[in-house]
Amino acid sequence: MKVSFFHLMPYQSLPDDFAEKHRSAWVDLPNSNFDPQQGRHMYDDYLDELQYADQLGFDGVCVNEHHANAYGLMPSPNLIASILARSTSQSALIVLGNSIALYQPPIRVAEEMAMLDVLSGGRLVAGFPVGTSMDTTFAYGQVPIQLRERHTEAHDLIMKSWQTREPFMFNGKFNQLRYVNVWPRPLQQPHPPVWIPGSGSLETWDWVLQRNYVYCYLSYYGYLRGRRVLDGFWERTAQLGIDDNPYRVGFLQLVCVSETDSQAERDYAPHVDYFYNKMLRVYGPYAESPGYRSIESLRAGLRTAIGTNAQSSTSQPVGWKDWLEQGHVIAGSPATVRDRLKEAIQMLRVGHLMCLLHIGTMPKELTYKNMELFTSEVLPAIRDTWSEYSDPWWPATLSSRPEMAGLPGD
Amino acid sequence: MVEHRTNTLEMRGGKLSVEVLEGGSGDPLVYLHGARALGGWNPHLDNLAGRYQVFAPCHPGIGASRGLEHLDDLWDLVLFYEEILENLTSRACHIVGLSYGGMIAAELAAQNTAKVRSLVLVGSLGLWLDEAPIADIYVMTPEERAKATWHNPASEVAQAYMAQPEDPMAKKEAELANIEALAATGKFIWPIPDKGLRKRIHRITSPALMVWGESDGLVPPAYAGEFQRLIPGSESVVLKECGHLPYLEQPEEYFEAVFDFLSRH
């Protein structure tokens, strides 16, 4: 299977009383709370961590896009990916992704991702999320009920631009262009693998399966909850007569490895607390603007990955024990983490596992410890899972990857 | 209660359908409801129907009014409403519009002035003043919304209006109906309900009355004055101890002002 290192690039310096003074880390938290000098150090550390992940032998490094929040400092993931294109060499660059409905015109995405693919020697994985309600309808003012239509048209335009060798006209509802002629064009043929992050909306499953893309469920609530969505996804896959290749799915899991179970709590608990109680603090109405999700999806009772936290915070677990018990975080000694992770992989049938190993306020030294223990003690035990399946949703140039690199100094 | 019925208009060969509540007799009066679901026949419509033939269409995408996907922008919406009016009656109509419905009413009056016999705008959207921004109804807590909508949220009429069904299923369905309405009307006013009426309002020659509550915290009373300033010869009434729904909170004064105005046109 493929195991990748996902970074969220959070802002780490929110004050202790943040939750008392502010209703949300997203949309309306004034940017006066951002200290640029501290932010610079954070970006430096985060880039070091992503580059280290490449050296340690993670299959991929992942970046994502969010706006107007302290949760993640990558409004432009492509800027970060461009740095990684030059400072990594053997991992896939998983841009998960560009919220394509927000780029006008969407050929901007086609161009930048083509640049990334060429710069990196064909290592790009192209993610096209619809985007959260906070990012798209509030930070970027998109009309909620039109968002998915915009996303679909943007996707169609991007995919056509990558596969057409001469200028063409595009007369869409939201985009009208007479001379679509994207230079450069991607290195990967016919196009980079396309992954779609979703949060459980029914329409996304059919859309992804029809186009033979990877469906990524980027939840912060771990594999026990993730199972509810992915069970539904695999059921739908079977209904449509499509195979159950585990590489059709990507999943994000928070992972914390330490020497022992109790040491893991000492090491990681405060940082995970920052993540759940500050980073994911979202004012309820921002998480679900009217029309963002179809009435059918709402009726089916599904909630977004973030909306779950926003709308029912009283029912959320509130500490280390709960986070572990509920599978939100897989944490403990290497043996504990190996066992839980193996269980999760089978339960979800996930071929593209993305691990969040930097969480919340983790300083670089601790993140490195987590990464090193993970790659030396956990990764070897899970790496060969699903070896009977092929993965057509991965950069071809990386498919026959070299042996996992040893730790620096080997 | 005046005899009333619900009709469904099939429009454009069935591509769109419009649910219309209808009752009363007399000169035609079209009521355009606000950003939330119209619900059923209510005392406001009933009172109007005592003197007029009232038509109350549900906005596209709400209830049994289907076909929202065929309307991409405000222009499409206004033209569609023109077609609805033609379908309802060949005569010129009084148009009463609340909030979001007021914006459509004003656009209709600017678009097809001959069809609009008179115009009543109640707590209406359509204009924007930086110094008096219209509240973001999509992010208000129930308490904030109560305070902004009513002069006296604790009053019996306010409490009755805001009451939710006891039964959990009914409550959920009511919530979903509300979200559906906000999603459908949001299509044309998100994120700021300023979509160009200011460029077209000079075309309105119909007599116009603005009715506002002094305590309207959603669409501040400054807008009553702004509409009046921009529509030549128009009248404006701002009711004291009254919020965003004057026909509920100050019905006597509301109907007195509205019927007086309508009778003069």
Side-chain angles (χ1 to χ4, degrees):
Chain A
M1 65 181 297
K2 304 293 194 311
V3 182
S4 298
F5 177 84
F6 203 114
H7 218 303
L8 297 177
M9 298 207 176
Y11 183 71
Q12 295 193 13
S13 300
L14 293 181
D16 290 336
D17 62 357
F18 155 76
E20 289 147 49
K21 293 219 167 94
H22 299 283
R23 65 186 184 182
S24 191
W26 297 61
V27 181
D28 66 10
L29 180 63
N31 64 11
S32 55
N33 288 279
F34 176 79
D35 178 333
Q37 291 297 351
Q38 293 194 51
R40 183 185 179 187
H41 293 307
M42 292 174 206
Y43 278 129
D44 282 342
D45 283 353
Y46 297 154
L47 283 162
D48 287 345
E49 288 156 11
L50 283 157
Q51 282 154 204
Y52 195 35
D54 175 65
Q55 291 161 31
L56 284 175
F58 281 91
D59 292 294
V61 289
C62 313
V63 294
N64 67 350
E65 174 176 332
H66 290 295
H67 302 275
N69 64 50
Y71 159 92
L73 297 172
M74 288 185 277
S76 173
N78 297 350
L79 288 181
I80 302 297
S82 70
I83 297 172
L84 297 173
R86 296 277 289 181
S87 59
T88 64
S89 56
Q90 53 192 1
S91 48
L93 298 183
I94 304 173
V95 177
L96 200 58
N98 282 181
S99 294
I100 57 179
L102 305 184
Y103 293 72
Q104 277 137 32
I107 52 172
R108 186 80 192 189
V109 172
E111 293 167 320
E112 291 190 358
M113 284 192 161
M115 289 179 72
L116 289 171
D117 201 42
V118 173
L119 278 165
S120 66
R123 291 186 286 134
L124 177 72
V125 170
F128 297 149
V130 169
T132 66
S133 163
M134 294 80 76
D135 291 326
T136 58
T137 64
F138 287 100
Y140 266 48
Q142 295 298 301
V143 174
I145 205 172
Q146 282 186 327
L147 183 66
R148 278 160 215 281
E149 219 186 327
R150 267 190 194 272
H151 174 270
T152 300
E153 185 174 301
H155 156 272
D156 294 348
L157 175 53
I158 292 165
M159 297 310 290
K160 186 166 184 186
S161 76
W162 278 346
Q163 297 173 86
T164 309
R165 293 285 170 269
E166 69 221 335
F168 66 93
M169 280 194 260
F170 190 88
N171 186 21
K173 181 191 278 193
F174 305 105
N175 303 282
Q176 285 189 304
L177 297 160
R178 260 199 190 259
Y179 302 96
V180 184
N181 184 26
V182 168
W183 282 70
R185 56 187 179 85
L187 203 147
Q188 296 183 74
Q189 293 303 311
H191 55 75
V194 176
W195 292 16
I196 306 294
S199 39
S201 107
L202 310 174
E203 294 85 3
T204 309
W205 294 344
D206 280 16
W207 193 86
V208 166
L209 288 166
Q210 278 155 22
R211 285 158 183 77
N212 201 32
Y213 296 154
V214 171
Y215 178 72
C216 297
Y217 186 51
L218 305 181
S219 147
Y220 313 108
Y221 299 102
Y223 66 104
L224 293 175
R225 284 240 191 142
R227 174 188 213 171
R228 291 187 220 159
V229 170
L230 289 176
D231 277 356
F233 174 79
W234 285 121
E235 194 184 310
R236 186 61 183 150
T237 307
Q239 276 170 8
L240 294 175
I242 295 172
D243 66 70
D244 60 356
N245 184 336
Y247 291 110
R248 290 189 176 280
V249 162
F251 185 75
L252 177 72
Q253 176 68 52
L254 276 66
V255 177
C256 299
V257 194
S258 194
E259 292 83 356
T260 64
D261 289 353
S262 45
Q263 186 61 37
E265 182 173 358
R266 283 190 291 274
D267 283 343
Y268 298 110
H271 309 297
V272 177
D273 183 273
Y274 187 88
F275 177 74
Y276 282 114
N277 292 316
K278 293 198 171 65
M279 300 287 80
L280 292 186
R281 184 171 176 75
V282 182
Y283 178 56
Y286 292 148
E288 188 87 50
S289 48
Y292 172 74
R293 206 197 294 280
S294 70
I295 293 292
E296 293 70 33
S297 286
L298 288 177
R299 195 167 265 126
L302 295 167
R303 293 278 181 262
T304 62
I306 289 174
T308 318
N309 196 53
Q311 286 156 27
S312 59
S313 52
T314 50
S315 73
Q316 289 308 301
V318 286
W320 185 255
K321 189 164 164 294
D322 287 325
W323 293 324
L324 264 56
E325 238 166 65
Q326 307 232 358
H328 289 22
V329 185
I330 290 179
S333 68
T336 300
V337 172
R338 274 196 301 268
D339 288 346
R340 295 304 294 273
L341 208 46
K342 279 186 188 171
E343 184 192 353
I345 290 163
Q346 292 299 323
M347 195 181 278
L348 302 173
R349 210 181 158 72
V350 55
H352 292 115
L353 178 67
M354 291 166 280
C355 295
L356 197 69
L357 295 161
H358 173 279
I359 301 170
T361 42
M362 273 192 205
K364 187 163 84 171
E365 308 73 48
L366 182 59
T367 311
Y368 274 26
K369 169 178 171 176
N370 199 12
M371 294 167 74
E372 286 160 9
L373 281 173
F374 182 84
T375 49
S376 59
E377 305 290 332
V378 177
L379 190 49
I382 58 175
R383 184 141 241 167
D384 291 328
T385 318
W386 313 126
S387 54
E388 65 272 36
Y389 293 95
S390 69
D391 183 0
W393 299 283
W394 194 253
T397 188
L398 300 175
S399 281
S400 49
R401 64 182 311 288
E403 294 296 348
M404 188 187 85
L407 294 173
D410 276 6
Chain B
M1 192 174 270
V2 174
E3 200 187 297
H4 58 274
R5 67 212 71 87
T6 304
N7 295 324
T8 305
L9 290 182
E10 295 297 321
M11 310 274 303
R12 300 186 185 172
K15 253 168 97 177
L16 297 103
S17 62
V18 184
E19 185 181 347
V20 184
L21 308 187
E22 190 187 321
S25 56
D27 292 333
L29 183 152
V30 174
Y31 176 70
L32 300 179
H33 69 93
R36 295 170 189 277
L38 175 57
W41 193 257
N42 58 51
H44 183 208
L45 296 177
D46 204 63
N47 215 321
L48 293 170
R51 304 188 193 198
Y52 295 93
Q53 184 185 18
V54 172
F55 300 98
C58 291
H59 298 314
I62 300 178
S65 292
R66 312 318 306 171
L68 178 66
E69 64 274 18
H70 299 294
L71 306 171
D72 294 334
D73 54 30
L74 187 61
W75 178 234
D76 289 348
L77 182 71
V78 173
L79 290 180
F80 181 58
Y81 260 100
E82 243 193 335
E83 292 162 31
I84 294 175
L85 292 190
E86 272 315 306
N87 221 298
L88 292 176
T89 172
S90 55
R91 302 174 56 194
C93 312
H94 300 288
I95 308 193
V96 178
L98 168 76
S99 195
Y100 169 84
M103 181 183 84
I104 300 174
E107 292 280 5
L108 274 168
Q111 162 67 11
N112 189 345
T113 197
K115 189 73 181 180
V116 180
R117 182 167 171 173
S118 81
L119 183 65
V120 179
L121 303 180
V122 184
S124 177
L125 299 181
L127 299 175
W128 183 265
L129 296 166
D130 282 340
E131 62 271 24
I134 291 162
D136 186 354
I137 58 169
Y138 304 100
V139 304
M140 298 174 110
T141 64
E143 297 71 36
E144 286 168 344
R145 194 164 71 239
K147 215 160 152 255
T149 305
W150 305 94
H151 173 77
N152 182 8
S155 69
E156 221 176 282
V157 64
Q159 290 293 310
Y161 183 88
M162 294 188 291
Q164 290 180 326
E166 293 273 331
D167 173 55
M169 272 305 288
K171 188 168 178 211
K172 169 122 201 211
E173 282 302 320
E175 270 172 31
L176 287 175
N178 191 42
I179 291 170
E180 183 187 56
L182 289 172
T185 55
K187 185 172 188 179
F188 304 102
I189 57 173
W190 190 284
I192 290 178
D194 181 16
K195 303 302 185 187
L197 176 63
R198 190 174 287 272
K199 297 183 292 177
R200 302 180 277 275
I201 199 168
H202 65 274
R203 292 167 51 97
I204 298 179
T205 57
S206 317
L209 168 71
M210 271 55 74
V211 185
W212 243 262
E214 194 181 48
S215 308
D216 189 338
L218 297 177
V219 190
Y223 286 91
E226 188 67 1
F227 271 105
Q228 192 198 359
R229 196 176 67 78
L230 292 170
I231 303 177
S234 60
E235 305 166 35
S236 168
V237 161
V238 179
L239 304 177
K240 298 217 175 305
E241 299 195 359
C242 184
H244 186 62
L245 303 173
Y247 50 86
L248 287 176
E249 209 164 11
Q250 294 294 348
E252 266 184 52
E253 294 184 42
Y254 170 82
F255 284 109
E256 191 186 317
V258 170
F259 284 143
D260 168 70
F261 168 79
L262 291 174
S263 67
R264 286 187 273 115
H265 304 290

